[in-house]
Amino acid sequence: MSDTAVAPPKAKQNFRGNGGVRGWFGRQPTWVRAIVTLVALGLAILLPYAGDVPLIGPQIVTQGIDWPSSLFNMSYYVLLALGLNVVVGYAGLLDLGYVGFFAIGAYGTALLTSRDSLLYAHSGWSWLAAAPVALAITMAAGLILGWPTLRLRGDYLAIVTLGFAEIIRIVATSTPNFLRGDRGFTNIPHPPGQGADGKPIFGVTDATPYFWLGLAVIVVVILGVRNLDRSRVGRSWLAIREDEEAAEIMGVRTTRFKLWAFAIGAFIGGLGGVLFAGEQGFINSQTFVLQFSILVLAGVVMGGSGNMAGAILGGALISYIPDRLRGISDPFFHTDLYEYRFAIFGVVIIVIMVLRPQGLIPSRRRAMELKDREKEVAPL
C-alpha cells in the first residue's frame, strides 16, 4: 500500500522535470505564448545588430567571418535540421544521405538560372521562377529514394541513403559538361528585389537580407511541420517510429506516411539548397560532401531528436561553433582554432551525450523513455 501511495507523485515530479522550459511554456495561456513567441521572433530579426550591444555583442559575434554571413549559414543549417528531424525524429527513419536533397535543390536552381548551364539557352529563368521547379524535383527525388527503401530499417536504410548522397556527388563530379564537376556553376542569380535607392536588396556585400529571408522561410516551415505533427500524419509518424509492425496491424498505412516523411524532408532540404545557391552564386560538387550529412544529423541528435526547438538549437550550434572559432588563435601553437573545429565539436557532442543523452531540448516523450530505461538498468 505504501508503494502505491508514493509512486504516482514521483512519476508526476519526473514528468515536470523533463518538461523544463517547454513544460512551463505549454502551461501558459495562449496570449502569453503569443507574446513570448513574438518577442523571440523580434530578437531573431535584430540578431544582425547584436554586435552593437555593449559587453555582450563582441563576445558572441564571429571574427573570421562577418556576422550576417554567419547568421545566414545558421539559417540554412537550421532548415536542414528541421527537415532531417521530420525523417529521423518524427518518422524514425535513419537518413545519412540528407545532403543529397540539399544538393538537388542547389543544382536544380543552378541548371535553370546559371549562364554556365546547358539548359540556360532554353530557360534562363530568374531565381524566384526556378525555386518552385527545383523544389518539385527535390520532392520527386525524395519519393524515388523512399519507394525502394520502404522495407528497409535501421542500419540498412542508413546505408542506402548514404549511397544515395554519394551517387549524387559522384555523378556531379563525373559529368563535367552537364553538372560541371569541380568547375561548378557561376553567376547564379540572387533573389529579386530593389530598395528605395534602386540598388538590389540581395547583393554581395551584405548578407543581412539573406538571413531575414532564411528566417522567414524557417517560420513558414515551423508552422507547416507543427501542423503536420499535430495532425493524423504526425500521429502516424509517431506510431511508425515506435513500432512499425504494430502500426501496420492497427491500420496505419505505413507506406504512404513513410513516403510523406521522405518527401517533406526532401522539400525542406531542397529549400536550404535553393537559398544557399541564391546567396553564394556558385556551387560545385565539392560543396556537398558526406560530412555535411553527418554534421546535420549530429545537430538533430544533440539538440533533441523529435523536437522542433531542439532541432533549431542543434542546427544553429553546428553552424555557429565552427564560425565562432574562425580568427581565434591557439595560445600554444598560434594556429587558427578553426582547423580543430571537428575535434572541438566532437568533444562538445560527447559531453552533451554523456550528461544529457536525450538532447539539449528533448521531446517530452523521448525524455520519459530515457528515464524509464535508466530505471530498468539501475542496480537494485
Side-chain angles (χ1 to χ4, degrees):
M1 294 297 293
S2 59
D3 293 337
T4 57
V6 174
K10 184 177 181 180
K12 187 176 181 181
Q13 182 180 359
N14 285 339
F15 184 79
R16 283 200 298 258
N18 289 330
V21 176
R22 292 182 66 242
W24 172 87
F25 187 76
R27 290 192 298 268
Q28 301 308 308
T30 303
W31 65 272
V32 174
R33 286 181 287 173
I35 292 176
V36 172
T37 301
L38 290 176
V39 169
L41 182 60
L43 291 175
I45 293 173
L46 295 175
L47 272 177
Y49 309 106
D52 299 331
V53 179
L55 299 179
I56 300 176
Q59 304 302 321
I60 63 173
V61 298
T62 53
Q63 299 179 11
I65 178 175
D66 68 285
W67 179 234
S69 296
S70 177
L71 289 174
F72 172 74
N73 292 342
M74 280 190 271
S75 69
Y76 70 76
Y77 268 101
V78 167
L79 268 179
L80 293 175
L82 285 171
L84 188 58
N85 188 51
V86 171
V87 182
V88 176
Y90 291 159
L93 306 172
L94 183 56
D95 188 349
L96 293 182
Y98 195 67
V99 68
F101 302 125
F102 181 70
I104 292 174
Y107 270 110
T109 305
L111 284 170
L112 295 173
T113 60
S114 173
R115 294 181 180 273
D116 298 329
S117 171
L118 297 177
L119 303 179
Y120 182 79
H122 305 285
S123 59
W125 294 0
S126 66
W127 178 89
L128 189 60
V133 179
L135 294 175
I137 295 172
T138 309
M139 286 191 72
L143 294 176
I144 292 172
L145 172 64
W147 183 261
T149 60
L150 289 175
R151 295 297 176 185
L152 298 178
R153 302 175 188 174
D155 298 340
Y156 300 100
L157 178 61
I159 292 172
V160 171
T161 55
L162 178 64
F164 164 76
E166 282 299 288
I167 288 172
I168 291 177
R169 186 186 63 82
I170 292 172
V171 169
T173 304
S174 305
T175 51
N177 294 325
F178 187 62
L179 297 180
R180 296 182 58 83
D182 292 339
R183 292 180 300 165
F185 292 94
T186 60
N187 298 317
I188 300 173
H190 301 297
Q194 289 185 344
D197 56 357
K199 295 182 180 180
I201 297 176
F202 299 94
V204 295
T205 58
D206 185 14
T208 300
Y210 294 101
F211 166 67
W212 286 336
L213 176 62
L215 184 62
V217 172
I218 289 171
V219 171
V220 174
V221 168
I222 289 174
L223 293 176
V225 173
R226 178 176 174 271
N227 288 335
L228 278 174
D229 182 38
R230 297 185 175 188
S231 68
R232 187 165 64 96
V233 176
R235 293 190 294 271
S236 299
W237 285 340
L238 175 61
I240 294 171
R241 187 189 70 187
E242 296 300 325
D243 193 328
E244 185 175 342
E245 293 180 355
E248 196 165 2
I249 293 173
M250 295 301 294
V252 176
R253 296 183 178 181
T254 56
T255 298
R256 172 187 295 181
F257 291 109
K258 286 170 72 173
L259 288 176
W260 264 93
F262 272 115
I264 293 171
F267 178 84
I268 299 174
L271 265 176
V274 170
L275 291 175
F276 177 81
E279 193 270 345
Q280 292 289 325
F282 170 79
I283 61 168
N284 67 358
S285 59
Q286 297 306 311
T287 307
F288 311 102
V289 293
L290 174 61
Q291 68 186 24
F292 203 99
S293 291
I294 305 300
L295 197 61
V296 176
L297 179 60
V300 172
V301 175
M302 180 177 65
S305 180
N307 180 25
M308 276 195 297
I312 292 171
L313 178 61
L317 287 178
I318 60 176
S319 174
Y320 174 74
I321 292 175
D323 285 345
R324 186 64 182 86
L325 294 175
R326 293 177 186 265
I328 300 178
S329 179
D330 176 15
F332 300 101
F333 302 101
H334 303 289
T335 57
D336 196 332
L337 285 179
Y338 182 76
E339 298 180 7
Y340 307 104
R341 62 190 183 280
F342 292 117
I344 296 173
F345 187 70
V347 172
V348 171
I349 292 179
I350 291 174
V351 171
I352 292 176
M353 290 298 100
V354 170
L355 300 179
R356 197 169 177 80
Q358 69 271 33
L360 294 174
I361 310 178
S363 67
R364 196 171 302 173
R365 180 181 296 271
R366 179 63 175 162
M368 292 298 293
E369 288 174 357
L370 289 174
K371 281 290 184 182
D372 292 338
R373 292 176 186 176
E374 287 179 3
K375 294 177 183 177
E376 293 175 359
V377 300
L380 298 177

